[in-house]
Amino acid sequence: MPGVTVETAATTGVAALKAAAGGNPLLANLPNKLWIGGQWVDALSGRTFPVLDPRSGEEVFRVAEADKEDVELAVAAARKAFDEGEWPRMSGKQRGKVLTRIADLIEKYADELAAIESLDNGKPLVMSKIADIPLSADHFRYYAGWADKLHGKTIPCDNVFGKFFAYTLHEPIGVVGQIIPWNFPLLMLAWKVAPALATGNCIVLKPAEQTPLNALRFAQIAEEAGVPAGTINVVPGYGPTAGAAICKHPQVDKLAFTGSTEVGRIVMREAAERIVPVTLELGGKSPLIVDKNVDVDKAVEDCHFALFFNHGQCCAAGSRTYVHESIYDEFCEKAAARAAKRVVGDPFQEGTEQGPQIDEDQLRKILAYIDIGQREGATMLCGGKQKGTAGYFVEPTVFRDVTDTMKIAQEEIFGPVQCILKYSSTEEVIARANACEYGLASGIISNDVNFINSVSRGLKAGTVWVNCYNVYESAVPFGGYKTSGIGRDKGEYALENYTVTKAVYQSLESNQCWI
């Protein structure tokens, strides 16, 4: 399928998208079936579900809806590929070459993938092009480098029973069930799939029902790159059906989930029931602490980016902005002015900073939190409403006079709503920042190295950004404390999620005598 230009994607209308089979360049050749055992197949039930354009709420595509029976087939295909197939038996160098080809193909089809991502998710095309797609390619290339470096250890072993040689093997865990969210569809796929493939596992992947398109396109890319049949299986569907079937399946050896803490608890219960390992990257309510000795204008811009990036639909969003009392009023005034200037509109139009939210449910949730914030006594400085009548657009919203006990300061809104709180001292702000069930990410804006050192060590969070925010590097681990999750994505740390350690003892004495 040839790459689609940005210009073509930008002029693609809803009516043309509905007529994809009639030659639309973006969706005409995109598969709408399940990818199981190296074949495109319909759901056994024959059911499909709609993919909606968040700009309008109108249906633009339909995709096969996987259910329990389809998951059974996908797991069987992955099981056969793992137990009998070539992927786990390839050398690390061979697997690394395939992962490199995947990275190359993502770059080759970058314009097309970016357009699909923005159509499916609603994020500005420019962000898909400069962030989501290149970061996804980089992730596969990074783990391609790890594929032949999964070394065990030799361990001295000389005890009362004699002389032995001992060593460890790091082996793939088996069939991995992976469930990914809708806010960064291709990138979250890369975070899960790349380390699992590098370590020799086989995969059953369920993309979010809101954003299945690039997962299906990725299956084509994986096949083109030489991933053997059955190694990756993609089963779009709904959480309570397809997702639950993956979690409950007795032949799935490991579960990996990114999404809400509420659903993460369900996944963890299923993992506990079967006693299989689980990694969870869940919700956040991340504190961003602004010291008194800063350039206020720059701090305002940094905090704006920390919260409004990806429409606020980011688990690590700096959604509790703590500002020192000496600059609080100035900061609030300028933060509201910056948010009011934020350009909200069609993600395919040049200059758009914020597209629509993902769907109507998310739109209603955000508007409900805005109403709660006002009723609880926070002062709304700008925004607060749905923008327009078509699609799922929300005005950038800023609250001041927010207190720690308010729902908007404790619960994850997952939208373009900035909550600004006032603080007085270092000790106070550390304690308040940690007084939350989440611990995913955090940020510090300061020119005082002592303040930076004290706060960065005091915060209970998996990531601390200092004088920056939303920086993601493939080699750097990402994950949370407390209810923000278990385990780490990215970096060397993620390899531990997909391997098991085997210890081997070997006698060094031919006349070994056992008691």
Side-chain angles (χ1 to χ4, degrees):
M1 180 175 176
V4 175
T5 66
V6 175
E7 290 74 17
T8 300
T11 57
T12 299
V14 171
L17 289 169
K18 283 184 174 180
N24 176 267
L26 185 58
L27 297 180
N29 297 317
L30 190 69
N32 63 351
K33 300 186 179 186
L34 313 178
W35 179 246
I36 297 176
Q39 300 291 325
W40 292 107
V41 297
D42 291 318
L44 291 175
S45 68
R47 289 195 301 269
T48 62
F49 66 92
V51 177
L52 305 181
D53 182 344
R55 296 175 297 176
S56 64
E58 295 190 33
E59 179 181 320
V60 294
F61 204 62
R62 295 195 72 87
V63 172
E65 179 188 338
D67 208 333
K68 179 180 179 181
E69 293 75 16
D70 306 292
V71 170
E72 289 279 356
L73 295 177
V75 173
R79 186 83 264 164
K80 182 177 177 64
F82 185 78
D83 292 341
E84 304 173 18
E86 57 182 310
W87 187 256
R89 293 159 186 83
M90 283 184 180
S91 69
K93 287 183 178 179
Q94 290 174 307
R95 288 199 299 270
K97 288 179 180 178
V98 175
L99 289 175
T100 297
R101 285 199 291 272
I102 291 175
D104 291 342
L105 289 170
I106 290 174
E107 291 175 341
K108 176 181 177 181
Y109 301 125
D111 282 353
E112 173 196 342
L113 293 168
I116 292 172
E117 200 81 339
S118 291
L119 172 68
D120 215 7
N121 171 274
K123 66 182 64 191
L125 182 62
V126 65
M127 293 308 299
S128 294
K129 287 180 64 66
I130 68 173
D132 294 54
I133 307 309
L135 286 173
S136 299
D138 181 74
H139 211 66
F140 279 98
R141 186 163 283 113
Y142 172 80
Y143 281 103
W146 269 111
D148 63 351
K149 300 173 183 65
L150 304 174
H151 304 153
K153 297 181 179 180
T154 58
I155 304 170
C157 187
D158 185 3
N159 60 35
V160 294
F161 295 110
K163 296 183 181 298
F164 302 90
F165 170 57
Y167 60 94
T168 58
L169 299 171
H170 294 174
E171 299 183 336
I173 201 166
V175 175
V176 177
Q178 299 181 327
I179 302 172
I180 58 174
W182 44 258
N183 55 339
F184 296 92
L186 187 62
L187 185 57
M188 293 299 97
L189 179 152
W191 281 21
K192 292 288 187 283
V193 169
L197 289 181
T199 47
N201 295 278
C202 296
I203 296 164
V204 178
L205 175 80
K206 191 197 88 65
E209 59 268 25
Q210 297 91 338
T211 55
L213 298 184
N214 259 339
L216 298 173
R217 183 69 182 99
F218 175 79
Q220 294 178 313
I221 287 172
E223 182 183 31
E224 185 176 347
V227 176
T231 303
I232 299 174
N233 304 272
V234 181
V235 285
Y238 294 98
T241 50
I246 292 171
C247 293
K248 293 175 183 290
H249 201 289
Q251 292 298 310
V252 172
D253 301 306
K254 186 263 185 316
L255 296 172
F257 171 78
T258 295
S260 71
T261 296
E262 177 186 10
V263 177
R265 288 189 174 98
I266 298 172
V267 174
M268 190 170 183
R269 280 195 292 269
E270 296 296 342
E273 185 68 25
R274 297 196 296 107
I275 314 180
V276 297
V278 59
T279 48
L280 304 170
E281 198 269 277
L282 306 176
K285 194 68 179 175
S286 301
L288 175 51
I289 300 169
V290 182
D291 196 6
K292 59 183 177 293
N293 62 350
V294 299
D295 179 329
V296 175
D297 291 330
K298 183 178 185 305
V300 164
E301 189 62 36
D302 289 345
C303 293
H304 181 87
F305 176 66
L307 185 283
F308 291 100
F309 172 63
N310 204 48
H311 320 168
Q313 296 175 153
C314 185
C315 53
S319 51
R320 289 185 292 152
T321 306
Y322 287 92
V323 179
H324 192 271
E325 60 185 3
S326 65
I327 60 170
Y328 185 79
D329 290 339
E330 180 186 2
F331 183 97
C332 290
E333 180 183 353
K334 291 181 174 180
R338 173 62 180 93
K341 288 193 247 181
R342 186 170 180 81
V343 180
V344 182
D346 189 326
F348 290 102
Q349 294 300 315
E350 185 177 353
T352 295
E353 295 179 277
Q354 179 179 312
Q357 309 304 130
I358 187 65
D359 60 17
E360 186 170 0
D361 286 346
Q362 192 63 23
L363 170 70
R364 298 302 163 200
K365 174 187 173 185
I366 294 165
L367 294 176
Y369 272 114
I370 292 171
D371 181 61
I372 289 170
Q374 294 178 87
R375 285 191 282 111
E376 289 188 330
T379 302
M380 189 172 70
L381 300 177
C382 67
K385 302 188 300 297
Q386 181 177 358
K387 184 176 176 64
T389 57
Y392 312 123
F393 298 88
V394 174
E395 294 178 344
T397 302
V398 176
F399 280 105
R400 63 167 290 163
D401 306 320
V402 179
T403 63
D404 294 309
T405 58
M406 292 179 180
K407 283 191 175 183
I408 59 172
Q410 288 293 321
E411 299 180 10
E412 188 173 36
I413 300 173
F414 225 60
V417 181
Q418 185 175 32
C419 300
I420 309 176
L421 304 89
K422 184 190 296 184
Y423 78 92
S424 300
S425 70
T426 303
E427 295 75 15
E428 168 210 338
V429 77
I430 292 173
R432 290 170 61 193
N434 289 335
C436 178
E437 69 166 304
Y438 298 109
L440 186 57
S442 59
I444 303 166
I445 298 176
S446 176
N447 295 315
D448 182 343
V449 67
N450 292 322
F451 181 86
I452 291 169
N453 287 336
S454 296
V455 176
S456 61
R457 284 156 178 76
L459 291 172
K460 303 301 182 186
T463 297
V464 182
W465 283 293
V466 179
N467 293 325
C468 60
Y469 212 92
N470 288 321
V471 179
Y472 296 96
E473 163 59 46
S474 294
V476 179
F478 183 81
Y481 288 31
K482 299 185 281 186
T483 62
S484 287
I486 297 172
R488 294 293 181 268
D489 286 316
K490 304 200 297 131
E492 182 179 359
Y493 295 82
L495 299 169
E496 300 172 6
N497 300 336
Y498 298 104
T499 57
V500 286
T501 302
K502 177 185 290 182
V504 181
Y505 289 89
Q506 183 174 338
S507 173
L508 293 178
E509 298 179 1
S510 59
N511 60 345
Q512 186 75 56
C513 179
W514 301 102
I515 296 175

